[in-house]
Every structure is written in C-alpha cells, then in structure tokens.
Amino acid sequence: MSNDITYPKGEIPWVAYYDEHGNFKRLLTSKASRDFYYLYEVTEGELTKLGRSRNPKELEETYNI
C-alpha cells in the first residue's frame, strides 16, 4: 500500500489490489467493528468509494476483482 494516500478516518486497510504492472488500484477497508467493508478505487493518489457490503467477497464479485 502507498504511504502517500490518506485513508478514510476510522477505517482500517485490509486488502490492497494491484494491476498486472504492480500499480496500486483498489483498496478494501473496514471499521474496527468489521460490520461493513468498503471498496475504493485509487486514482492519482486519491481514493474514490466504489461500494460497501457486509461481505468483502461480494464486493470483489460485484467489481470483478
């Protein structure tokens, strides 16, 4: 994961997804309670929220990861 990205307050990064060239592309986070998981797209060092789910596998399937 990249040190130059500001992660959402109160969320813990769990899984970083990279493309075939090794570029950091997506990030899966959750709060400490782990009741919801959030998927973000990484573009030019900024995070854009793609979705939220109670099941991280569901996010992976929805966004074809």
Side-chain angles (χ1 to χ4, degrees):
M1 288 182 272
S2 178
N3 291 333
D4 55 344
I5 291 178
T6 302
Y7 300 111
K9 186 175 182 176
E11 293 182 27
I12 301 166
W14 288 103
V15 180
Y17 301 94
Y18 295 84
D19 67 11
E20 63 275 2
H21 304 290
N23 299 313
F24 182 29
K25 294 309 234 178
R26 294 191 177 167
L27 177 68
L28 184 72
T29 69
S30 75
K31 304 270 185 185
S33 62
R34 296 177 74 177
D35 53 350
F36 280 100
Y37 293 85
Y38 306 91
L39 183 65
Y40 294 89
E41 183 171 47
V42 180
T43 308
E44 298 179 13
E46 298 291 323
L47 296 177
T48 303
K49 189 182 287 185
L50 296 176
R52 169 182 100 146
S53 176
R54 290 188 182 273
N55 183 335
K57 187 69 175 165
E58 183 179 291
L59 286 170
E60 291 178 339
E61 290 171 357
T62 300
Y63 293 95
N64 299 316
I65 297 175

